[in-house]
Amino acid sequence: MANEIVKDTSVLLTEKRMFEPGNEVIEKANVKNWKAEREKGKDLEAYWGEKAENFHWFEKWNKVLDESEKPFYKWFTGGKTNITYNAVDRWINTAKRNQVAILYVNERGDEKKITYYELYKEVNKLANGLKRLGVKKGDRVGIYLPMSPELPVSLLACAKIGAMHSAVFAGFSEGALAERLNDAEAKILITADGTYRKGSVINLKNIADEAFLQCPIIETMIVVKHCGNEVNMSDLSGKDIWYDNLIEGEPSECEPEKMDAEDPLYILYTSGSTGKPKGVLHTTGGYMVGTATTLKTVFDIHDGDLWWCSADIGWVTGHSYIVYAPLVLGTTTVVYEGAPDYPDPGTWWKIIEKYGVTQFYTAPTAIRHLMRFGDKFPNRYDLSTLRLLGTVGEPINPEAWMWYYKNVGKEKLPIMDTWWQTETGTFMISPIPVSPLKPGSATKPLPGIEAEVVDKEGNRVPVGKGGHLIIKTPWPAMLRTLYKNPDRYVETYWNVIPGGVYTAGDIAREDEDGYFWIQGRSDDVLQIAGHRIGTSEVESAFVSHDAVAEAAVIGKPDPVRYETIKAFLILKEGKKLTPDLMTELKKQVRHELGALAVIGEMVQVDILPKTRSGKIMRRVLRAREKGEDEGDISTLVE
Ligand code: PRX
C-alpha cells in the first residue's frame, strides 16, 4: 500500500536514487546555481531587498526587516504598494494587455479566457460595487465561491480597495462556513448559485443561506450566477444581490488603495491541534514579494508560459499560486473547476495537451488517485509542452513520485516537491529546477529560508533521526498573527521550541546530504486528501449527534488520501454502533464539516485513554493502532 511506504520511514531513508536535471532545464532556469543562491539568501535583508525591487511600490520601504517586536516581525516597513495593482493594473500598459491572464476550464469542457485588460475592468467594477455596499479598507469580506473566474476576481477586488478577504473552501459545509465567517466578522459574503463536481451541480447558495442564519454580522450576500441552477433569491430583507446586478453600470476604473506593506491582505482559516480553526493573517508587501519570488525561482516562470496549479483557491495554495504570484509575474494561470477524473481520468492530461500547459503543480493524493487508472490515460495525450512538475500537501511516496516522473514527466521533467503551510504563505523547503532530486524528499530550504530538525530542547538531531521541523529566521510571506488572537500565535508557533524559532508542527529528518524528508504532522492534525483538518473539529462534529457521549479521532493510513478518519466513540447509555447509526454519524460529520472529512472507520469503545487533567491521549490510540508499545510512542520525535 502506497501510504505504508510513507509511514515506514526506513524506506524513505534508504531511498538513494538521485535524479539530475537535463541540460534543457539548466539552460532555461531562472536560477542556475542552487548552492550560490542559497548562500546569497543568508543575508536576509540584502536578498529580499533585492527581490522586492522587481515589484511596483508607490513609496519605497525604509527597512527590509524590522525585528524590534519579534515574533511580530515586519517586512518592508514604510513601503506602500497594492498587490492588485501589481497583479493586474501594471500589465495593462504593456504588451501583456491582451494576453490571457486567467484561463478558466471546467470538467464539462467549457472555457473562458480573460485577458489582463478584461480582468482589470472586471476587478475594478466589483471593487466599485463593494465600495457602494459600504466596504472600506480593513473590512472583512467572506468568499464562498466555486473555482469560477469570479473567485480570483473577488480576491483581487478586495485587495484593490484594502478590504481583507476571507475565503472559505466551497467543500466546507454551513457549520464550518459560519464559524469562519463569524470569527472574521465578515459583513459581506460573496457566493454563487452552484459548482460543477463529477457531472452534477452542487447548490452553494443553499449552504450559504444556512450559514447566513448563524451569522448576524453579514448584511449582504452577493450571488454569482455560475451554473444557472435555480436558487432562492426571494429574501425580503434585501440581503441577496446578484453579482451581475451589483457590477452593472459600475465604472471600470478604480483607484488602488495605497497599502502599507504591513496592512492586512487576508485571513485564511486553518486547523490546529486544538480548539477552533485559526485565522491565519497575511499582510501585503512581504506576501507579494515572497509568493512571486518563490514561484519564479521554483517553477521557473518565463513570458509565454501557461501555469497550472490544480489546487482550489479556497486553500492557501490557490491564494498564493493560482491567484497572486502568477498574476504578479504576468503569466497565464489556469483555473480548473471539477474533479480530476471526470468525465474520465484523462481529463487533466487532455487539458495539458489542448492548451499547452508548461508547468503543472498538483497534490500527491491526486497523483495516487490517477495512478490507479493506469498509464494509459497520461500516455494517450501529448504532454510535450510540460517543462516542470510539482507537488504539495503531504509527503509523496517514492512509488507515486516515480509514476508521475515516468508517465507525466517522461523521465525528463524535474518534480518540485514543495513543503510549506498556510502559515508560511510561500514554498519553504523545495527544490529548484537545477536541484538533484531524490524521490520523496522536498530537498533543501529555499534561498532566504533557514530550516532545521531539532529535539524538544531545540538541539539539532543527528542525521537520519526524526525531530521537529523548525524555521530559524523570519521570511517575508510569514503569517503575522492569528486574527484577534496574538497570544495563540505566540503560543502555537514561537513558544514550542526554545530559541525564538518557528515550529511547523511537522516531523522531519535530514539525511547525510542535507536533504529534508517530511514525515507528517507531530500534532493532532489530519491530512485527508491534501486537506488539513483538526481532530477536535471532527470530534465536536461527532458529539453534536445525540447518540455520542465522547469521541476521539486519529488518522488512519489510506493508500490514496494519505489519511482518513478513524473514530473511537463512547455512545450514550444503551446505544449501539449499528450500521444505521454509522450512516447517520457520517451524515452528521459531513453536515458539520463537509465532504472533505472522510471517515474510514468507527469503533465503539467504553473508555478513552486520558491524561490526569482529562485530555484525550490520541498518541496512545495511534500507538495501539500501529501495534507499538505505548510507552515508546514519544520516541518518534525525540
Ligand atoms: O504536514 C505538512 C503538509 O501539509 C501541512 C500544511 O498544510 P496546509 O497549511 O493545509 O497547507 C498545504 C499546502 C501548502 C504541512 O505542515 N505538507 C505540505 N506540503 C508538504 C507536506 N508534507 C510533506 N511534503 C510536502 N511537500
Side-chain angles (χ1 to χ4, degrees):
M1 277 200 335
N3 196 59
E4 278 167 6
I5 297 174
V6 182
K7 290 282 175 187
D8 181 353
T9 53
S10 58
V11 175
L12 284 187
L13 289 173
T14 52
E15 173 58 67
K16 297 284 184 221
R17 284 172 290 189
M18 184 82 114
F19 293 82
E20 301 281 347
N23 284 339
E24 273 174 50
V25 173
I26 298 173
E27 270 160 35
K28 188 132 192 175
N30 280 324
V31 175
K32 299 219 187 311
N33 189 329
W34 197 24
K35 196 162 174 231
E37 189 75 3
R38 292 175 64 241
E39 270 312 303
K40 229 171 104 183
K42 286 190 174 153
D43 184 342
L44 293 182
E45 295 212 46
Y47 181 77
W48 291 113
E50 186 192 310
K51 299 296 178 195
E53 299 281 355
N54 295 329
F55 310 97
H56 172 272
W57 298 81
F58 299 111
E59 278 173 42
K60 199 176 163 171
W61 58 91
N62 324 312
K63 186 141 182 51
V64 174
L65 171 61
D66 176 354
E67 301 190 270
S68 58
E69 290 169 48
K70 61 184 177 189
F72 298 92
Y73 293 94
K74 298 191 191 81
W75 286 86
F76 307 108
T77 45
K80 285 200 181 293
T81 187
N82 182 292
I83 195 165
T84 300
Y85 183 93
N86 274 275
V88 185
D89 303 27
R90 72 170 166 148
W91 303 124
I92 65 157
N93 294 320
T94 70
K96 291 186 192 288
R97 179 186 174 89
N98 298 319
Q99 180 196 306
V100 175
I102 293 173
L103 169 60
Y104 164 80
V105 201
N106 66 27
E107 60 175 29
R108 297 155 33 118
D110 306 328
E111 65 168 42
K112 191 171 176 190
K113 294 178 175 170
I114 304 168
T115 66
Y116 272 97
Y117 183 52
E118 288 164 342
L119 182 62
Y120 171 79
K121 290 187 291 188
E122 181 85 8
V123 166
N124 288 345
K125 280 170 171 263
L126 179 59
N128 288 324
L130 289 172
K131 276 191 187 169
R132 187 154 58 80
L133 292 177
V135 177
K136 294 185 298 295
K137 182 178 173 186
D139 286 348
R140 275 81 52 211
V141 174
I143 297 176
Y144 185 67
L145 282 173
M147 284 287 281
S148 67
E150 290 80 7
L151 176 49
V153 167
S154 298
L155 264 52
L156 293 161
C158 289
K160 182 114 196 208
I161 61 174
M164 295 153 76
H165 50 78
S166 188
V168 178
F169 172 56
F172 275 118
S173 66
E174 57 263 29
L177 172 62
E179 183 173 34
R180 286 156 178 77
L181 294 172
N182 279 332
D183 191 77
E185 295 168 302
K187 62 180 197 183
I188 303 274
L189 176 63
I190 310 179
T191 188
D193 52 3
T195 183
Y196 300 113
R197 186 80 189 175
K198 280 213 165 204
S200 58
V201 170
I202 298 165
N203 187 325
L204 293 181
K205 175 68 167 48
N206 279 351
I207 302 172
D209 278 341
E210 289 289 324
F212 173 80
L213 297 175
Q214 305 164 47
C215 296
I217 304 170
I218 293 182
E219 294 162 8
T220 311
M221 212 140 85
I222 303 168
V223 186
V224 173
K225 197 173 273 179
H226 178 56
C227 299
N229 52 310
E230 211 158 294
V231 295
N232 181 12
M233 294 285 283
S234 59
D235 178 75
L236 295 177
S237 66
K239 82 171 194 319
D240 291 336
I241 173 168
W242 284 111
Y243 175 97
D244 287 342
N245 294 349
L246 176 74
I247 66 169
E248 193 186 3
E250 286 295 341
S252 49
E253 296 292 328
C254 172
E255 268 301 296
E257 187 72 37
K258 293 190 170 71
M259 303 287 281
D260 276 331
E262 281 300 332
D263 275 338
L265 174 64
Y266 68 78
I267 307 166
L268 188 58
Y269 286 85
T270 189
S271 297
S273 37
T274 52
K276 289 176 161 200
K278 301 178 287 194
V280 168
L281 185 112
H282 283 291
T283 60
T284 305
Y287 181 80
M288 171 176 77
V289 173
T291 50
T293 303
T294 49
L295 183 62
K296 190 168 176 176
T297 309
V298 173
F299 282 98
D300 207 30
I301 302 290
H302 290 274
D303 276 351
D305 280 351
L306 181 57
W307 159 253
W308 183 10
C309 163
S310 78
D312 192 289
I313 296 173
W315 304 107
V316 74
T317 312
H319 278 57
S320 294
Y321 296 114
I322 298 178
V323 184
Y324 288 116
L327 298 175
V328 167
L329 294 175
T331 193
T332 304
T333 183
V334 175
V335 171
Y336 174 77
E337 180 187 14
D341 56 356
Y342 184 86
D344 67 49
T347 304
W348 281 5
W349 320 127
K350 189 173 172 185
I351 291 172
I352 291 172
E353 175 185 271
K354 178 167 181 192
Y355 298 100
V357 171
T358 45
Q359 294 100 333
F360 179 63
Y361 183 42
T362 192
T365 185
I367 297 166
R368 288 195 292 264
H369 178 66
L370 293 174
M371 220 170 117
R372 295 195 305 183
F373 301 101
D375 309 349
K376 65 175 190 284
F377 286 101
N379 291 337
R380 196 176 282 171
Y381 298 96
D382 174 6
L383 306 178
S384 61
T385 53
L386 286 171
R387 290 204 327 268
L388 285 166
L389 302 176
T391 64
V392 61
E394 70 228 356
I396 180 162
N397 46 309
E399 191 194 342
W401 196 99
M402 287 307 302
W403 186 86
Y404 196 28
Y405 184 71
K406 277 196 184 135
N407 293 290
V408 186
K410 311 297 175 198
E411 300 190 24
K412 276 203 320 251
L413 308 187
I415 298 175
M416 305 294 106
D417 175 356
T418 61
W419 175 86
W420 60 296
Q421 309 176 293
T422 308
E423 293 89 339
T424 68
T426 47
F427 311 144
M428 300 294 281
I429 300 177
S430 164
I432 65 173
V434 296
S435 316
L437 304 172
K438 300 186 191 187
S441 166
T443 75
K444 300 188 180 196
L446 282 172
I449 307 297
E450 236 190 288
E452 221 167 67
V453 182
V454 300
D455 63 20
K456 271 204 300 214
E457 279 72 47
N459 305 308
R460 196 169 184 166
V461 298
V463 163
K465 203 161 185 298
H468 299 276
L469 178 61
I470 57 154
I471 312 293
K472 292 176 74 179
T473 48
W475 63 101
M478 64 197 296
L479 80 164
R480 297 304 195 264
T481 191
L482 293 176
Y483 186 60
K484 297 193 300 194
N485 208 341
D487 293 345
R488 192 174 177 197
Y489 165 72
V490 177
E491 284 305 311
T492 312
Y493 305 106
W494 301 96
N495 278 358
V496 183
I497 309 267
V501 294
Y502 171 89
T503 306
D506 276 357
I507 302 165
R509 291 166 200 258
E510 223 184 299
D511 71 13
E512 62 283 5
D513 298 320
Y515 277 49
F516 285 69
W517 299 81
I518 314 294
Q519 321 267 262
R521 300 289 305 182
S522 62
D523 56 14
D524 290 326
V525 169
L526 308 172
Q527 292 286 135
I528 304 177
H531 301 146
R532 181 167 153 184
I533 300 173
T535 41
S536 57
E537 288 168 85
V538 183
E539 288 161 2
S540 30
F542 271 111
V543 295
S544 67
H545 189 282
D546 273 350
V548 181
E550 272 190 80
V553 307
I554 60 169
K556 175 182 161 77
D558 183 90
V560 174
R561 295 182 176 99
Y562 186 63
E563 283 180 336
T564 58
I565 294 163
K566 174 154 184 178
F568 299 84
L569 306 168
I570 302 182
L571 300 182
K572 291 197 182 144
E573 208 53 38
K575 297 277 178 193
K576 281 256 160 311
L577 192 58
T578 57
D580 281 352
L581 181 56
M582 284 198 213
T583 311
E584 259 184 57
L585 290 171
K586 278 191 181 170
K587 252 202 212 153
Q588 178 79 6
V589 172
R590 203 186 164 106
H591 176 76
E592 291 291 316
L593 279 171
L596 68 176
V598 183
I599 299 170
E601 194 181 341
M602 286 179 255
V603 286
Q604 182 170 3
V605 293
D606 295 330
I607 46 164
L608 288 169
K610 288 190 183 158
T611 60
R612 253 182 248 173
S613 60
K615 274 172 83 180
I616 296 170
M617 295 170 80
R618 297 187 193 86
R619 276 168 160 260
V620 173
L621 294 172
R622 278 196 294 262
R624 280 184 197 159
E625 198 60 22
K626 287 193 207 152
E628 285 169 4
D629 179 351
E630 289 162 32
D632 284 348
I633 48 175
S634 55
T635 52
L636 189 59
V637 290
E638 280 159 2

